[in-house]
Amino acid sequence: MKVVVARHAGVCYGVERALKLASEAATTDGHVATLGPLIHNPQAVAALEDRGVGVASSLDDIAGGTVVIRSHGVDPAVVVEAEERGLAVVDATCPFVRAAHTCAAELAEAGYRVVIVGESDHPEVEGILAHAGGDALIVERAADLPARLPRRVGVVVQTTQQIGTLREVVEELLPRTADLRVCNTICSATAQRQTAAAELADGVDVIVVVGGHNSGNTTRLTEICRARNPHTHHVETAAELDSAWFVGADVVGVTAGASTPDVQIQGVIAAIEALSSDG
Ligand code: SF4
């Protein structure tokens, strides 16, 4: 059984940067906590905790020291409040997420009603919303758009969304608005991983997607692969692999979300190869 890894898979620039900033803070800044899990990967978060980087669910949980803002970004009011409480702030907001904040703020400032394409309960989307003016709205798909819309609408998209979802929303808006502006804020790392996953899914017998079950971008990779290959499985670690998935398979594809460290991908590959040699 041959294992083929997607051309683009695993940790992206923004996650790598956030992990580095948090690790540096742990070695220099005493008590360090991230506001929410730094990335949507329980194993990586546990490894950080071992190195002294705790997880706080709110600023109230942080008695002092340093707070790390994760790559998803936050409402700017949170940073102001942290500073007012005397905390040192390490802002690991990904520059691509920051670009989405800037687009949303500029559209709102220019008088456009901002439509954010993304998951309403995702922390990144909450951060974009905080920059998008009081009347902004969030849609997950075109069908979520309201019946009445103003003349001027500006679209911003969660960095990890699929281009097809953005396209559907824009196509629905186009005939219904007089002045439509679109910021395609899907980040290049996401687009590359989704394209590579789709290519891979077409040419393999089984595909394994590695990443946190709570990771939105990993879940979307799984959806993309499953739409092309029904033998698609999403696992967080090698322990979840089932030998029955690989019966009769010659080629197994492996891809991974942007928050999946290389050590986890390698662990899954090694376990698949071991299943192969056992069989
Ligand atoms: S997926 Fe893109 S936007 Fe999100 S952290 Fe990675 S590089 Fe940044």
Side-chain angles (χ1 to χ4, degrees), residues 12-15 71 94 96-97 159-160 187 189-190 258:
C12 62
Y13 161 75
V15 165
S71 56
C94 176
F96 292 108
V97 174
T159 56
T160 53
C187 88
T190 298

Side-chain angles (χ1 to χ4, degrees), residues 8 12 23 31-32 90 99 102 106 127 166 213 215 249 254 262:
H8 297 282
C12 62
S23 299
H31 183 76
V32 178
V90 171
T102 304
E106 287 177 355
L166 173 63
H213 289 299
S215 159
V254 172
D262 196 48

